[in-house]
Amino acid sequence: MTTNMIPVRLRCEYLDNPSGIDAPQPRLNWQLEAVSPTQRSLKQTAYQILVSSSEAGLEEKQGDLWDSGKVLSNQSSHIVYAGSALTSGQQCWWRVRVWDAQDEVSDFSPSASWEMGLLTGADWQGKWIGLQASKPAYDAIDVEPMGKLPGLQASPYLRTTTNLPQAVRKARLYVTAKGVYEVHINGQRVGDAYFAPGWTDYHQRIQYQTYDVTAQLQQGENSIAAILGTGWYCGHVGFWIDGQGNNYQHYGTDPRLLLQLHIEYNDGSSQTIVSDDSWQGALGPIVFSDFLAGETYDARHELDGWDLPTRATTDRWQPVLVEELNPGIRIVAEPDQPIRVTQTLTPQTITEVSPGIFVYDMGQNMVGWVRLQVEGSAGTRVQLRFAEMLNPDGSIYTTNLRSARQTDSYILKGQGQEVFEPHFTFHGFRYVELSGYPGQPTLEALTGLVTHSDTPPTGSFECSNLMVNQLQKNIVWGQRGNFISVPTDCPQRDERLGWMGDAQIFVHTACYNMDVAAFFTKWMRDVVDAQAPDGGFPDVAPRVALKTNGAPAWGDAGIIVPWTIYQMYGDTRILEEHYEAMVRWLDYLHAANPELLWKNKRNNDYGDWLSIEADTPKELLGTAYFGYDALLMSRIARALGRDADAEKYQRLFTAIGEAFTRAYVDEEGYISGGTQTCYVVALQMQLLPEHLRPLAARHLVKEIEKKNGHLSTGFVGVGYLCPVLTNSGYSEVAFQLLNNETFPSWGYSIKHGATTIWERWDGWTTDKGFQNPAMNSFNHYSLGSVGQWLFQYVAGINTDPEQPGYQHIQLRPYPGDDLSYVKAEFMSIHGKIASAWQKDGSTLTFTVTIPANTTATIALPATNNAQIFEGTVPVADADGVAFVQEEEERMLFKIGSGTYCFRVYAS
Ligand code: RAM
């Protein structure tokens, strides 16, 4: 006998068959799939996991590393490995089977695997290598019209060869850089990651990647070669404040490589090849390659055969410089998905804006670079410049890039068709200006490569309003373009920093759109590395360019982000890992503000950043966040079973709420400052006594009316605006804001052609044209935080806050005015949740699917005299549906797994 469901999508630490895991006890996860889609209410009552050190062993159904035995549990996520201790490089194959409600057991799943990384510092035998002087400029190359930009340097090429005595059974390459790297073995690029090892605080922690290179090696002569870029390590990152100081060399002066190749032969013997003084290095064609400046590549300087076992000799190769490892700097496995090219775009139009200057429109504000195809004579210089917008005359608008050059230059070698892609740079752009091109360029000359941390897509949202559909697209494009190893504010100007305020307001939306659990697991480590000794979280993580501690709503990301990851994925480890850091942040705030109003240590104090003629008092905003931190900390402590702390923080939260109300709220519920954001944060953060909440909500609505039905919130208020309105019984006002197309609104930018979320509501207006170019990005995700409301309220897909992680789901859709249908899907950690509604005269149809081994409470908008059917039967007779209770205007039912179609006929 087998069950009606099968375990699928086995993952370890949120990843598919990962290698390079350094959590000593990795967490395992699977989803359950109904064998037949018509089956309902499927439940797991027990599981058994087998983990084996060999694939063959697992075939035999033996778990020599771990046999969990039959565990009575419905848990299918975050199962902590509890077998024998795992060693560096250990391969683990695993399978799982489950028992259902009738105690029938399923077959074992197909096997999945994970592989441990290098677990101790002693595992690293290689040394850092680089070039003695990687900067000897190519004087012959004129970097005009770039002007002088200090800190640019040529990319070192490094290589070694090795003779392997026999056929290779298994080979793993462990590699990292101070800077960014690209590795080649025997002329072939290793892996498909870009900008590895990713951005961390290189003074404290450097990530490495693990690659299976078994198939790339051969018996006999082999070459291992690498190119280094400056990246975040010593290239340009962040802004150049008032021309003071440099925005490069944040961590060091020259890039370095650390590499280790572990080889196992067929006879069981092994060998390790490392980066050391046997390597050679040379400068090659990359004159410079820098995130902000772009890349200049002189193909005439290519090093023939640089990555092949045999190469043409040239006197440009020289011994490398070798540096010892610093035991104070941790070398850790990258825990998240690498940065990859995930899509290519073909340009839509090409216009010659002045003689020889062509502007390509990619049709989409994107992040990455373009591939250039060109044919011409040696020495011809082709230049590509990148911009998000156009000037009225059709030329590219670059003033908002500030000091970022975003320019790639390719100098031809003159040998037939040449193809160029830059190596270590990325640009934010919709338009590409091509100049110096020999001949008449065609659309085919350029291809756009979209690049970002390869977080798997999880959400989709569609409705009857095309503008809203475009909004959802813009939100997703903003997320793609800005999730590049860290969640950045923008991808184009001289900034591209891990701004905490932006991240905390957007993280919830981000979790609906893509699986960002591993991404934020990584970034929270950056946040905690950036915590100051006094407990202050930063404004930006990693902490560069801006050394101050975090402002209200910025520093608080240190609590809000892990809390949100816990809500969305049920992950308690991220809470446990950072608990002490969160406590220290709250202690820091509390010690500085014993009166419980956030008066001191507001640092850069951005307030409700980029609001529209609505200045929210900064102390009030800070105090609201201080209270929210205490509230979330009490819940976090509760989730971790730290009950005494939970009580303590609950008391602190209550006291901050009282202080807030005393200081800023009158007896009619008016809040000083009176902006929309004042009311939004007070309500969202639950700071008001119960009797004042409806009054405050009413004042919020009045404020919106005063603005002629428009929002005025900035970064901080915007994310909670529609949720607060909806929770307070004003969903129709939230829908009005969503549907607006007049300024300021989401619709306004879309009406004017936006394909990403703008930094500012007034980034461009019909009255004033472009906003101040000193700060005007057209690809910032913060104002896109309305995405959470679309999924969680409009489509109604939410977790039960009491049981985070979507094993118990809350479905509470809002069929808003002006929309005739909504269709959304969200791939939760337990599987796909779908929610759709449709209006047909006075009939409302709700079609929902929840995965096996989950349950949901669905709150249907209906009064108790409405007729409700599920499929063809009255709801009372429906299989898998149980009535729970009636609320005002809602009927609540509990459902088991499966697909349901509810029809509500208004009486
Ligand atoms: C801007 C950034 C970011 C914001 C800060 C306060 O420079 O782009 O989005 O968080 O300012």
Side-chain angles (χ1 to χ4, degrees):
M1 282 288 267
T2 55
T3 48
N4 296 323
M5 53 189 178
I6 42 168
V8 294
R9 232 184 138 218
L10 275 62
R11 292 187 304 154
C12 171
E13 290 295 323
Y14 296 116
L15 303 170
D16 297 315
N17 301 323
S19 17
I21 291 290
D22 62 7
Q25 291 180 292
R27 292 162 302 170
L28 305 176
N29 183 79
W30 59 90
Q31 295 177 359
L32 292 166
E33 208 169 76
V35 172
S36 147
T38 56
Q39 281 169 326
R40 288 183 173 172
S41 304
L42 299 179
K43 277 196 181 104
Q44 168 192 306
T45 55
Y47 66 81
Q48 181 184 13
I49 297 171
L50 298 180
V51 184
S52 174
S53 59
S54 75
E55 206 165 3
L58 200 60
E59 289 303 319
E60 302 292 305
K61 306 196 170 63
Q62 285 163 6
D64 63 334
L65 292 172
W66 188 35
D67 179 346
S68 72
K70 181 177 178 182
V71 180
L72 297 181
S73 164
N74 69 351
Q75 197 185 342
S76 57
S77 59
H78 306 297
I79 312 275
V80 176
Y81 169 81
S84 343
L86 299 172
T87 52
S88 289
Q90 170 106 53
Q91 279 182 286
C92 307
W93 281 269
W94 69 288
R95 308 170 105 178
V96 61
R97 61 176 174 171
V98 299
W99 282 260
D100 68 11
Q102 287 73 43
D103 209 29
E104 302 290 355
V105 67
S106 73
D107 287 340
F108 271 103
S109 67
S111 68
S113 69
W114 84 87
E115 185 174 312
M116 300 303 283
L118 299 182
L119 302 180
T120 68
D123 287 320
W124 288 95
Q125 299 153 36
K127 306 216 183 325
W128 293 109
I129 60 170
L131 274 194
Q132 205 49 270
S134 39
K135 291 171 245 173
Y138 284 78
D139 294 332
I141 301 220
D142 177 11
V143 291
E144 293 300 333
M146 307 260 307
K148 281 204 195 338
L149 192 62
L152 296 176
Q153 52 180 295
S155 278
Y157 283 63
L158 306 168
R159 64 177 268 119
T160 193
T161 52
T162 182
N163 197 291
L164 303 183
Q166 20 166 329
V168 172
R169 183 172 74 193
K170 175 181 157 192
R172 292 291 182 271
L173 181 74
Y174 302 96
V175 55
T176 184
K178 295 176 178 174
V180 281
Y181 70 81
E182 185 180 314
V183 174
H184 292 213
I185 290 185
N186 294 331
Q188 231 183 42
R189 193 183 199 279
V190 172
D192 54 4
Y194 286 87
F195 314 142
W199 189 6
T200 54
D201 180 345
Y202 303 102
H203 294 311
Q204 302 190 50
R205 184 170 51 92
I206 303 180
Q207 301 182 146
Y208 68 89
Q209 285 71 35
T210 307
Y211 303 97
D212 179 353
V213 293
T214 315
Q216 277 174 269
L217 292 169
Q218 60 196 18
Q219 187 172 355
E221 202 63 6
N222 290 265
S223 60
I224 309 162
I227 319 173
L228 293 179
T230 51
W232 297 280
Y233 181 76
C234 52
H236 290 84
V237 179
F239 32 57
W240 190 327
I241 307 167
D242 302 331
Q244 300 292 306
N246 293 320
N247 59 344
Y248 64 99
Q249 296 187 349
H250 293 291
Y251 302 98
T253 55
D254 301 276
R256 299 282 180 251
L257 176 79
L258 174 64
L259 174 149
Q260 203 149 300
L261 175 60
H262 291 196
I263 299 171
E264 268 176 40
Y265 295 108
N266 283 341
D267 70 356
S269 62
S270 61
Q271 189 183 350
T272 302
I273 292 157
V274 301
S275 49
D276 60 15
D277 58 7
S278 69
W279 288 56
Q280 291 192 306
L283 293 181
I286 302 178
V287 180
F288 63 83
S289 191
D290 177 279
F291 284 151
L292 299 185
E295 175 164 322
T296 290
Y297 186 98
D298 189 340
R300 296 170 304 179
H301 289 289
E302 281 177 354
L303 296 155
D304 286 337
W306 72 277
D307 59 354
L308 296 176
T310 48
R311 61 174 165 86
T313 42
T314 138
D315 53 10
R316 283 155 72 191
W317 293 100
Q318 48 176 286
V320 292
L321 178 105
V322 177
E323 284 169 10
E324 295 296 323
L325 267 56
N326 179 342
I329 300 175
R330 283 171 295 141
I331 300 182
V332 301
E334 177 182 17
D336 63 333
Q337 294 87 357
I339 296 166
R340 295 195 176 100
V341 171
T342 63
Q343 190 181 349
T344 55
L345 292 183
T346 43
Q348 303 198 334
T349 59
I350 170 173
T351 315
E352 187 163 12
V353 292
S354 52
I357 311 278
F358 298 88
V359 172
Y360 285 72
D361 180 0
M362 305 306 295
Q364 171 64 49
N365 198 10
M366 59 164 279
V367 175
W369 57 85
V370 296
R371 182 189 301 136
L372 164 75
Q373 304 206 49
V374 61
E375 197 170 337
S377 53
T380 308
R381 182 195 180 104
V382 177
Q383 186 178 271
L384 298 156
R385 296 203 303 148
F386 299 84
E388 296 179 291
M389 300 291 259
L390 297 179
N391 290 309
D393 66 359
S395 61
I396 58 170
Y397 174 76
T398 56
T399 27
N400 68 329
L401 302 178
R402 305 195 303 220
S403 74
R405 309 300 169 104
Q406 289 214 136
T407 302
D408 294 342
S409 296
Y410 180 72
I411 296 143
L412 280 71
K413 55 189 166 193
Q415 294 167 7
Q417 262 288 343
E418 298 180 37
V419 179
F420 164 69
E421 269 183 48
H423 297 74
F424 305 118
T425 189
F426 65 92
H427 316 300
F429 62 99
R430 172 171 173 171
Y431 301 99
V432 189
E433 181 201 82
L434 174 70
S435 60
Y437 192 85
Q440 186 66 28
T442 60
L443 283 177
E444 289 72 46
L446 300 188
T447 309
L449 285 87
V450 178
T451 314
H452 52 93
S453 285
D454 194 8
T455 52
T458 49
S460 64
F461 180 95
E462 186 199 307
C463 68
S464 53
N465 182 337
L466 297 182
M467 185 276 284
V468 175
N469 294 344
Q470 184 65 42
L471 171 63
Q472 169 61 17
K473 276 196 197 133
N474 293 5
I475 294 169
V476 172
W477 274 99
Q479 179 167 343
R480 294 174 85 188
N482 280 296
F483 278 43
I484 299 188
S485 188
V486 310
T488 61
D489 61 326
C490 60
Q492 72 299 83
R493 69 180 179 221
D494 57 354
E495 191 148 352
R496 312 185 190 187
L497 297 172
W499 279 99
M500 301 267 288
D502 309 41
Q504 67 87 3
I505 206 68
F506 189 70
V507 58
H508 212 138
T509 302
C511 294
Y512 278 111
N513 290 329
M514 300 190 201
D515 180 351
V516 291
F519 180 84
F520 278 107
T521 298
K522 182 263 175 194
W523 188 65
M524 270 312 296
R525 293 179 185 153
D526 299 332
V527 170
V528 172
D529 279 354
Q531 188 170 30
D534 65 5
F537 283 131
D539 265 341
V540 295
R543 196 187 276 240
V544 289
L546 207 78
K547 302 286 166 123
T548 39
N549 278 350
W554 270 251
D556 311 289
I559 289 180
I560 296 171
V561 168
W563 166 254
T564 309
I565 296 302
Y566 167 60
Q567 284 294 312
M568 292 298 282
Y569 303 97
D571 186 338
T572 49
R573 191 176 270 181
I574 196 168
L575 302 179
E576 196 68 74
E577 181 177 344
H578 303 301
Y579 189 75
E580 291 311 318
M582 295 189 262
V583 166
R584 292 206 299 126
W585 164 252
L586 198 49
D587 284 352
Y588 153 90
L589 291 186
H590 195 175
N593 299 291
E595 295 163 40
L596 306 184
L597 304 176
W598 192 344
K599 289 176 186 289
N600 305 307
K601 301 219 172 167
R602 292 204 305 268
N603 301 304
N604 285 333
D605 213 6
Y606 308 104
D608 184 21
W609 189 240
L610 304 179
S611 58
I612 291 291
E613 289 172 17
D615 281 335
T616 300
K618 291 178 173 175
E619 180 192 296
L620 177 153
L621 189 68
T623 303
Y625 267 85
F626 182 21
Y628 200 41
D629 288 346
L631 173 65
L632 298 186
M633 277 305 281
S634 75
R635 292 180 178 167
I636 288 168
R638 182 84 60 211
L640 297 178
R642 297 170 186 258
D643 291 344
D645 278 9
E647 295 302 322
K648 180 175 91 185
Y649 292 124
Q650 178 67 35
R651 282 195 299 275
L652 178 63
F653 162 65
T654 308
I656 296 172
E658 286 163 7
F660 180 95
T661 306
R662 256 195 322 273
Y664 316 123
V665 189
D666 74 12
E667 62 285 1
E668 288 168 47
Y670 283 102
I671 301 185
S672 54
T675 64
Q676 295 173 18
T677 294
C678 290
Y679 293 106
V680 166
V681 293
L683 288 162
Q684 164 71 23
M685 294 161 187
Q686 301 174 28
L687 298 163
L688 303 178
E690 216 168 321
H691 70 282
L692 293 182
R693 290 179 203 162
L695 299 175
R698 185 73 217 128
H699 301 323
L700 167 61
V701 171
K702 276 263 175 295
E703 276 312 306
I704 295 170
E705 282 167 7
K706 272 195 217 157
K707 304 262 174 189
N708 215 355
H710 288 83
L711 51 75
S712 65
T713 48
F715 277 29
V716 178
V718 66
Y720 304 125
L721 176 61
C722 290
V724 160
L725 284 166
T726 311
N727 288 340
S728 309
Y730 296 102
S731 61
E732 75 286 356
V733 181
F735 277 101
Q736 178 189 356
L737 298 176
L738 178 72
N739 291 328
N740 276 346
E741 291 192 356
T742 44
F743 179 80
S745 64
W746 294 282
Y748 185 77
S749 69
I750 290 165
K751 202 167 161 199
H752 294 287
T755 57
T756 36
I757 300 291
W758 294 353
E759 177 174 24
R760 318 175 73 126
W761 297 115
D762 56 358
W764 185 91
T765 57
T766 38
D767 298 354
K768 298 189 180 134
F770 290 119
Q771 244 285 7
N772 184 347
M775 209 189 71
N776 195 22
S777 135
F778 293 94
N779 197 355
H780 249 66
Y781 52 63
S782 304
L783 300 180
S785 53
V786 66
Q788 173 195 348
W789 179 72
L790 296 178
F791 280 94
Q792 193 173 310
Y793 290 80
V794 181
I797 300 174
N798 197 6
T799 188
D800 178 349
E802 297 303 316
Q803 300 171 56
Y806 290 91
Q807 192 155 17
H808 183 64
I809 300 154
Q810 286 192 349
L811 297 167
R812 184 178 284 262
Y814 283 83
D817 296 347
D818 300 330
L819 294 183
S820 60
Y821 80 89
V822 159
K823 233 166 127 174
E825 284 187 357
F826 169 56
M827 177 60 89
S828 74
I829 193 164
H830 291 287
K832 192 191 281 177
I833 301 167
S835 171
W837 53 257
Q838 193 182 327
K839 295 177 188 165
D840 198 359
S842 59
T843 307
L844 274 168
T845 307
F846 297 91
T847 313
V848 296
T849 301
I850 61 166
N853 199 32
T854 67
T855 53
T857 303
I858 179 161
L860 293 173
T863 51
N864 70 350
N865 42 20
Q867 279 194 325
I868 306 178
F869 275 70
E870 194 286 306
T872 52
V873 297
V875 71
D877 303 335
D879 172 31
V881 184
F883 175 70
V884 180
Q885 69 183 67
E886 185 188 339
E887 275 179 12
E888 204 186 329
E889 314 269 299
R890 297 253 177 194
M891 301 290 280
L892 271 58
F893 300 90
K894 186 152 181 202
I895 56 174
S897 69
T899 296
Y900 301 80
C901 179
F902 296 96
R903 278 196 183 77
V904 179
Y905 300 95
S907 55

